[in-house]
Amino acid sequence: MEIVEATISSIQAALESGEITSRELVLFYFDRIAAHDKDGLTINSVLELNPDALFTASALDSERAVQGPRGPLHGIPIMLKDNINTGDNMHTSAGSLALANSYAGVDAFIVKRLREAGAIILGKVNMTEFANFMTDGMPSGYSSRGGQVLNPYNISTPTGGSSAGSGVAVACNFCMASIGTETSGSILNPGNLSSTVGIKPTVGLVSRSGILPLSNSQDTAGPMARTVTDAVIVLNVITEHDDRDAAMGAGYFKKHKDYRVFLDPKGLEGARIGIPRDYFFEELTDEQLAIFNDAVEVMRKQGAFIIDPADVRTARQIVYSSVVLNEFKSSINAYLSKLPPNGKIRSLKDIIAFNNEHPVETLKYGQSTLLLAETTTSGTQTELPYLRDRLADLRLCKEEGIDATMKEHQLDALLFPADFGARITSRAGYPSIVVPAGYTSKGVPFGVTFAARAFEEPMLIKLAYAYEQHSRMRRPPSLKSFI
């Protein structure tokens, strides 16, 4: 069968009929990674392959033959961003050489859920080191451990960060789907630039336990896939409640058992979608604006009511915030303190010291952000600038921002070009879904992002799926030559 651009459902059908086995599927991805990620164009998205992947695949094939499949992810290869813990023979380093030999010891909660669902953890993908919190000026998709991830659509275009490998590996068909993480655009940005679907959930819908953190108030994991349906299939599995993550309490009675019921091809009919043109459109090129407007026209033809403009009145007040900087030190120190005692890195100070001892290998772009986090924060979240900025973020992004705009215009969702709304949605902790919308004359992907209020993923899934079904804009990279 044709595996490139296949969906999870089509692969499941082939597995059930015996047309292919999960072991053969893993071997297919190994071969494709060898040909294009490590040779050929050397995309460099895959950081580490799971040495147990073939064994796991064979075991799941045997289980399928005797007991049948566990569910939609049975025998499906999934990649993980390198800041997500696995309790196997793979490392978890966040792209850092300081943690290159670190073993987490146990699976992150969402990895445990994926394994229980029968997914094959194929490997770890490269990322912008420490989720782009290493230094000023570090290119997206670069890490000292993994090097530079390339954009398969155009070598001169960034990959987007920090889930660069998560987006690129999916775009290149090196896996069926992946898990990325986002603090401020790190799923939406690479999703946009890799022409993939990225779901950034509400903070609290998906467990963060066992994920190397950046910001306690903004971090979340989410699926990346080639279709909305595949992303939702993965989302279904990773939204199980986790008592260890305090953020999940707010969504305990708001989570849906099966988000696939919202995959409605008529989901745009009667939907009220607002376009916040002021501020969020200032950096668009004429080509990008044309792609966006074409997407809006598709939605309008499918029965959506477009409120344009539906400006966020606080957009220009949302400036620099010290929240992430002040949360990073305590978050990462807590994470490192819980790792098995098999390494010397137990704090942010240890990471900085390691980098200073190995400057040639680790400090190509410096570590200015790490130094700032270490020297300017106490790690207790009691600093006056932090408290003021946290309160301002919630007020400007939630109550007086997204909430007020959606209430004023009675909206079901906001529609942003590319990932340009990530700053406001991330600080609010609100969900977003990015979907491919087209390509520039140079082949660079461009998407649109649907965003809404907390735990309104069902509406976003309806809108994103309906738009996808009536636009069908995604195309795979050729992997033959760069433009």
Side-chain angles (χ1 to χ4, degrees), residues 100-144:
N101 295 315
S102 177
Y103 294 96
V106 295
D107 284 340
F109 183 86
I110 60 172
V111 177
K112 183 174 181 290
R113 290 288 301 138
L114 288 167
R115 293 194 203 272
E116 290 171 349
I120 300 166
I121 306 303
L122 189 62
K124 299 283 185 79
V125 286
N126 201 2
M127 58 181 284
T128 315
E129 189 164 347
F130 285 121
N132 201 25
F133 212 69
M134 175 81 174
T135 188
D136 291 330
M138 177 174 280
S140 62
Y142 175 83
S143 71
S144 60

Side-chain angles (χ1 to χ4, degrees), residues 83-103:
N83 59 349
I84 301 173
N85 288 354
T86 53
D88 49 24
N89 293 316
M90 290 190 291
H91 306 88
T92 305
S93 70
S96 169
L97 280 175
L99 296 173
N101 295 315
S102 177
Y103 294 96

Side-chain angles (χ1 to χ4, degrees), residues 123-321:
K124 299 283 185 79
V125 286
N126 201 2
M127 58 181 284
T128 315
E129 189 164 347
F130 285 121
N132 201 25
F133 212 69
M134 175 81 174
T135 188
D136 291 330
M138 177 174 280
S140 62
Y142 175 83
S143 71
S144 60
R145 182 182 174 210
Q148 181 66 57
V149 182
L150 301 181
N151 189 317
Y153 289 94
N154 188 317
I155 193 171
S156 64
T157 300
T159 58
S162 61
S163 303
S166 301
V168 168
V170 169
C172 292
N173 287 271
F174 297 152
C175 56
M176 283 301 301
S178 69
I179 304 293
T181 66
E182 173 159 329
T183 303
S184 183
S186 291
I187 289 174
L188 302 179
N189 183 223
N192 174 63
L193 288 168
S194 63
S195 198
T196 55
V197 174
I199 299 180
K200 184 267 180 183
T202 304
V203 174
L205 184 67
V206 174
S207 169
R208 290 94 54 84
S209 298
I211 300 177
L212 193 147
L214 180 53
S215 163
N216 184 65
S217 63
Q218 294 181 203
D219 286 353
T220 185
M224 304 186 75
R226 290 181 291 274
T227 67
V228 174
T229 300
D230 283 358
V232 170
I233 288 172
V234 177
L235 182 71
N236 262 349
V237 169
I238 62 174
T239 53
E240 189 73 19
H241 184 75
D242 176 14
D243 289 331
R244 293 175 298 172
D245 186 349
M248 297 199 77
Y252 189 82
F253 296 105
K254 299 176 182 178
K255 176 191 172 295
H256 293 264
K257 183 177 182 180
D258 190 349
Y259 286 92
R260 290 176 296 178
V261 301
F262 303 107
L263 295 167
D264 181 2
K266 297 182 179 180
L268 284 164
E269 292 184 7
R272 293 179 60 84
I273 300 173
I275 300 178
R277 295 234 175 215
D278 181 50
Y279 178 76
F280 296 103
F281 282 67
E282 291 180 347
E283 296 181 9
L284 288 186
T285 66
D286 290 342
E287 270 191 311
Q288 292 171 335
L289 181 59
I291 293 172
F292 180 87
N293 289 338
D294 285 347
V296 172
E297 190 59 29
V298 170
M299 297 175 204
R300 185 178 282 114
K301 287 180 178 179
Q302 294 306 314
F305 294 103
I306 306 299
I307 293 80
D308 183 8
D311 293 327
V312 178
R313 295 179 181 178
T314 58
R316 295 183 182 275
Q317 301 174 52
I318 303 168
V319 292
Y320 171 78
S321 172

Side-chain angles (χ1 to χ4, degrees), residues 12 15-16 22 55-76 107 111-121 233 237 260:
Q12 279 298 342
L15 290 168
E16 279 295 284
S22 290
F55 298 128
T56 302
S58 295
L60 288 166
D61 284 333
S62 297
E63 182 182 323
R64 180 187 295 273
V66 176
Q67 300 178 352
R70 302 182 192 181
L73 287 186
H74 187 111
I76 299 296
D107 284 340
V111 177
K112 183 174 181 290
R113 290 288 301 138
L114 288 167
R115 293 194 203 272
E116 290 171 349
I120 300 166
I121 306 303
I233 288 172
V237 169
R260 290 176 296 178

